[in-house]
Amino acid sequence: MADRTDADWDALVQAKIFEVLSTAEMNVEAGPLASISTPADPRFPLTIDHTLLKQDATPAQIDTLCDEAIKYGFKSCCVNGLYIKQVAERLKDSHSIACSVIGFPLGAGSAEAKAYEAQQAIKDGALEIDTVLPIGLLVAKPPQYKRIFDHLKVIVDAASPVPVKVILETGLIPTPELKIAASFISAEAGAAFVKTSTGFAAGGATKADVSLMYQTVKYKGSVKVKASGGVRSFEACQEMFKAGAERIGTSSGVSLVQNSIPAAGCY
């Protein structure tokens, strides 16, 4: 894959775009977790990355996040790298894991800097990594597909065997074709998940985007979809599951499992 030229990548991406868009309406299928119909389903908490990524998050708030994850059985606590050691220590006797964002939220740092950040987070106890695709390379004219692949591959290889979720920031991607391209290249680079949004840019997870991403990456078998950004109700989670999502990134995890109204400021 590393020796693919720009022309090779363009041809591959165009073929994937044609495949997904030409069969999307005919091959609409429910996602693997579409049968989750109630917050009481034991699978539901395991889909949630309980998230606190605000700039002013305090150590005490991070402890509370961890305690909630332990109480409700969430899959992970997703935080900035500053707090990974604290989270890993707090969660060490639980089934929840530490997840670190890197190159967040802009995605515009060098691949080497992100790779180092990922390795440091893993050393500190992160068992999953969420990174942001370099969006400017995607929306360039023409899109720089090879450069995006090479960038992501550096990060995925540096983090291995810890899984990497690639955040596309779908609200900033103007066309379905480019969303397919971003999902496909991420899958080819070895991403474990493609993820909709950081929660810091305009737009968030939509059923249409999740479905498009799911239809794009399902050929890999092991690549999954994470819906993040504005998923604040159980009904919204159900929509995402039906569209193909298998993970939900949210700061509203507690209200979701309680099926209650999220607190102000949740995302």
Side-chain angles (χ1 to χ4, degrees):
M1 293 183 193
D3 57 356
R4 288 173 176 167
T5 65
D6 288 319
D8 292 334
W9 274 110
D10 188 62
L12 286 167
V13 168
Q14 294 308 316
K16 176 57 70 172
I17 289 170
F18 177 79
E19 173 196 325
V20 173
L21 292 183
S22 63
T23 61
E25 292 185 6
M26 293 184 291
N27 293 335
V28 174
E29 59 183 76
L33 298 180
S35 61
I36 294 180
S37 60
T38 169
D41 189 311
R43 294 173 294 171
F44 182 47
L46 296 173
T47 70
I48 293 176
D49 285 343
H50 198 35
T51 302
L52 180 54
L53 298 168
K54 291 183 176 181
Q55 294 164 291
D56 59 352
T58 66
Q61 289 172 328
I62 295 295
D63 278 345
T64 297
L65 186 84
C66 293
D67 293 345
E68 290 169 346
I70 294 168
K71 178 178 179 179
Y72 294 102
F74 297 142
K75 174 65 179 180
S76 81
C77 285
C78 188
V79 300
N80 286 291
L82 173 67
Y83 290 124
I84 286 296
K85 277 187 180 179
Q86 178 182 338
V87 168
E89 177 65 23
R90 194 87 171 183
L91 298 178
K92 68 179 180 180
D93 295 321
S94 75
H95 295 294
S96 298
I97 63 173
C99 170
S100 180
V101 293
I102 65 166
F104 189 89
L106 301 180
S110 71
E112 291 74 18
K114 292 182 190 176
Y116 179 84
E117 188 179 1
Q119 290 175 332
Q120 183 60 53
I122 292 165
K123 188 183 298 183
D124 288 343
L127 295 177
E128 290 186 344
I129 296 293
D130 286 23
T131 192
V132 186
L133 180 140
I135 303 154
L137 301 182
L138 181 69
V139 300
K141 297 181 186 294
Q144 299 186 22
Y145 297 138
K146 174 175 168 51
R147 193 173 170 192
I148 295 168
F149 171 83
D150 292 343
H151 182 102
L152 294 177
K153 193 71 166 60
V154 167
I155 300 163
V156 169
D157 287 350
S160 182
V162 170
V164 174
K165 310 186 197 89
V166 176
I167 307 169
L168 308 188
E169 201 68 283
T170 48
L172 299 182
I173 302 177
T175 66
E177 289 82 0
L178 285 176
K179 292 170 185 176
I180 292 169
S183 300
F184 174 64
I185 293 169
S186 298
E188 290 290 290
F193 283 79
V194 287
K195 174 180 170 182
T196 54
S197 314
T198 62
F200 281 72
T206 69
K207 185 177 180 179
D209 284 345
V210 168
S211 179
L212 197 67
M213 293 160 66
Y214 175 61
Q215 296 299 326
T216 301
V217 303
K218 67 180 182 180
Y219 77 100
K220 277 287 189 180
S222 60
V223 183
K224 301 175 182 180
V225 179
K226 176 176 173 179
S228 183
V231 185
R232 300 187 187 95
S233 69
F234 178 71
E235 291 73 24
C237 292
Q238 283 183 296
E239 277 206 337
M240 299 303 153
F241 294 146
K242 289 174 182 176
E246 295 186 56
R247 194 76 67 85
I248 303 293
T250 180
S251 63
S252 304
V254 173
S255 62
L256 289 175
V257 294
Q258 293 177 342
N259 204 16
S260 59
I261 298 172
C266 288
Y267 51 94

